[in-house]
Amino acid sequence: MRETINVPQAEIERQREFMRLVEKLPERPHSYHIVSMGCQMNERDSETVAGMLEAMGMARQPVREAADLILYNTCCVRENAENKALGNVIWLKELKKDRPELMICVGGCMTQEKGMAAMMKQRYPFIDLVYGTHNLYKLPEYIYRVITEKHPVVEVMDIDGEVVEGLPERRKKHFSAFVNIMYGCDNFCTYCIVPYVRGRERSREPEAILAECVRLQDEGAQEIMLLGQNVNSYRGGGAAFAELLYRVDRLGIPRIRFMTSHPKDLSDELIHAYGELKHLMPQLHLPVQAGSDEILRRMNRRYTREHYLELVRRLRGVCPDIGLTSDIIVGFPGETQAQFEETMSLVREVRYDAAYTFIYSPRTGTPAAKMPDDTPYEVKSERIQRLIELQQAISLEVLEKQVGTRQRVLVEAASTRDAGSVGGKTPRGHMVNFPGGPELIGTFADVEIVSAGRNTLRGRRIIQDG
Ligand code: 5AD
Ligand code: SF4
């Protein structure tokens, strides 16, 4: 873990000056649309981008085709994410034929891949701005240059290790907020491109994090999600993650969650926190990736199946009702049928509430991409299908157990499926839909669970007397 180096406030001021300058340019875009791909980290970055664009006088345009500026915040963790981003970019070329004044910006993890920015510059000259993950804070300066110099700007920096504080932001939801606590990853799991595109681990100062939480609390946050690629290796101002969590808990925000945790770094203190902290929700995303020791070793995960299962037992010892979720990769190079069966048996043993399952996708530049892989894609497909079916059956059983219980739900949105219904999460993170109006969004509702579906629960609101 690196020492925290903040981007100097003078530089942030400089960028704020560019925001003011862009706002004064008559030919600037007046509306923006952001397409955020990938993980919560990207979503949080998109909130900062939105804040900067609004400080430049642009208004959010919900219809992509109608916006003056379209920005793609890309992901590259798997090949399909990358193909989707590139496919979108090609489609933008057509759009620009009709609307030459349209400004197209592409940022995020994909642009940070080796050789990608150069390729984009050459093959997609209609893109006005390409920037990376380490220079997002310079967006105002780049947009100013695109407008005034009238040619594309392609700037991706290799250096990393800085933390940026004090940029504007436009939060998606005021009642439930993401708070970054650390950036980057030093784990180098052999399949993963994240350490190459997000850089080395660096943590924000606890004071900056706490100040942000207090501000969000003042603005009405009922739930905080602390974010990092590997929050367990957080070390800011000498404080470990569990310490930070205790301090955040004391602020009194009703719900605290965090992600993502690496099993090798899950400390005893953090496990105890589940028994002690009032506001920490009984939910943990603890990606296992595979159930075979040999595959875990080749993935460089640095824990064994037994160590992982022991963590699960201890977590449930402290917090019997904890909801666990996972990420699982199927078809890692050389994975045998027997090794895959070990993943299946681990899933049966742990009984996750939910699991995100992926077929291994080779990423150029990662060690696993050079490992021999003779398993046909059809076999991998069959494996993942079986895993998905197993997990669906378990998820359904877990949800059915909730029927008849009373749950406090933080209402997030109007239900897209049922008119007159709203949806939100229980403490354990289960999604519940129940009849109710949009005035409930952002508030807590007490709900009795009446039935369980494949991924969601249905409930009935309990109106208490008095
Ligand atoms: N192929 C498939 N899945 C991957 N993940 C990361 N890299 C790859 C890859 N190359 C998955 C891991 C990780 C999640 C965010 O994405 O399961 O936890
Ligand atoms: Fe990728 Fe592993 Fe880091 Fe997660 S812990 S971001 S899977 S390298």
Side-chain angles (χ1 to χ4, degrees), residues 185-189 191-195 229-230 262 289 301:
C185 183
D186 286 353
N187 287 320
F188 291 95
C189 301
Y191 50 82
C192 187
I193 200 164
V194 167
Q229 298 293 350
N230 178 13
H262 194 302
Q289 311 296 359
R301 292 290 288 178

Side-chain angles (χ1 to χ4, degrees), residues 29 68 116 141 145 179 186 221 228 242 296 306 323 326 347 362 422 426 446-447:
D68 296 341
M116 184 60 83
E141 177 177 348
R145 278 177 49 198
V179 173
D186 286 353
L296 288 171
E306 185 42 39
S326 196
V347 167
V422 287
T426 67
D446 289 310
V447 170

Side-chain angles (χ1 to χ4, degrees), residues 10-63:
E11 172 60 25
I12 303 301
E13 260 320 303
R14 219 179 124 251
Q15 294 304 324
R16 283 194 184 270
E17 186 54 34
F18 279 114
M19 294 179 214
R20 290 188 280 272
L21 288 172
V22 171
E23 195 185 1
K24 288 195 196 103
L25 296 172
E27 69 275 39
R28 70 172 166 83
H30 290 267
S31 62
Y32 73 89
H33 183 95
I34 300 173
V35 180
S36 201
M37 303 170 131
C39 66
Q40 282 88 350
M41 246 72 66
N42 260 12
E43 252 183 72
R44 179 64 195 85
D45 281 351
S46 291
E47 292 180 340
T48 300
V49 169
M52 290 194 282
L53 296 176
E54 291 190 14
M56 291 179 238
M58 296 176 220
R60 193 176 81 88
Q61 168 53 265
V63 181

Side-chain angles (χ1 to χ4, degrees), residues 110-349:
M110 187 181 79
T111 63
Q112 200 72 42
E113 276 181 78
K114 213 167 166 237
M116 184 60 83
M119 186 281 271
M120 290 176 81
K121 188 175 180 170
Q122 201 202 355
R123 292 199 26 205
Y124 310 121
F126 56 90
I127 301 177
D128 298 285
L129 170 60
V130 177
Y131 66 96
T133 58
H134 303 305
N135 58 350
L136 175 140
Y137 66 93
K138 291 196 172 183
L139 199 65
E141 177 177 348
Y142 298 149
I143 289 182
Y144 180 80
R145 278 177 49 198
V146 170
I147 299 170
T148 55
E149 294 170 16
K150 296 187 172 53
H151 64 74
V153 172
V154 178
E155 287 244 6
V156 175
M157 305 198 306
D158 267 341
I159 47 161
D160 70 78
E162 292 177 322
V163 169
V164 188
E165 299 287 354
L167 288 175
E169 63 201 24
R170 162 65 63 211
R171 302 269 174 179
K172 252 188 156 169
K173 294 184 256 178
H174 68 280
F175 55 86
S176 175
F178 292 140
V179 173
N180 267 131
I181 65 163
M182 49 101 60
Y183 304 92
C185 183
D186 286 353
N187 287 320
F188 291 95
C189 301
T190 53
Y191 50 82
C192 187
I193 200 164
V194 167
Y196 305 90
V197 294
R198 284 272 173 183
R200 298 289 60 74
E201 281 178 3
R202 54 225 187 257
S203 297
R204 288 178 72 194
E205 293 291 336
E207 287 68 31
I209 296 167
L210 289 162
E212 183 173 337
C213 292
V214 169
R215 184 167 49 73
L216 291 165
Q217 186 177 21
D218 290 344
E219 289 164 11
Q222 306 290 343
E223 179 175 70
I224 293 278
M225 169 78 92
L226 302 174
L227 287 182
Q229 298 293 350
N230 178 13
V231 292
N232 304 128
S233 60
Y234 171 83
R235 252 200 183 276
F241 178 60
E243 251 178 280
L244 177 75
L245 207 53
Y246 276 80
R247 290 178 72 180
V248 175
D249 189 71
R250 282 200 289 275
L251 300 176
I253 298 163
R255 293 187 166 188
I256 305 169
R257 304 180 193 271
F258 59 85
M259 73 187 300
T260 290
S261 290
H262 194 302
K264 82 172 163 52
D265 298 317
L266 194 79
S267 67
D268 293 345
E269 290 77 13
L270 188 55
I271 294 176
H272 288 308
Y274 276 99
E276 289 187 347
L277 297 186
K278 198 164 162 233
H279 306 291
L280 179 60
M281 291 295 103
Q283 177 243 318
L284 178 64
H285 186 58
L286 192 64
V288 69
Q289 311 296 359
S292 137
D293 282 345
E294 172 59 15
I295 296 292
L296 288 171
R297 192 185 61 73
R298 288 202 278 124
M299 285 178 163
N300 191 31
R301 292 290 288 178
R302 288 175 281 174
Y303 54 82
T304 60
R305 171 192 178 96
E306 185 42 39
H307 177 79
Y308 185 91
L309 291 172
E310 177 61 19
L311 290 175
V312 171
R313 282 192 285 272
R314 285 173 53 208
L315 282 159
R316 289 199 168 131
V318 172
C319 180
D321 220 25
I322 195 166
L324 298 174
T325 55
S326 196
D327 293 342
I328 300 170
I329 296 177
V330 169
F332 185 78
E335 181 193 67
T336 64
Q337 192 61 31
Q339 286 164 339
F340 169 69
E341 297 301 339
E342 289 188 74
T343 296
M344 293 287 280
S345 71
L346 181 131
V347 167
R348 274 187 215 105
E349 211 169 322

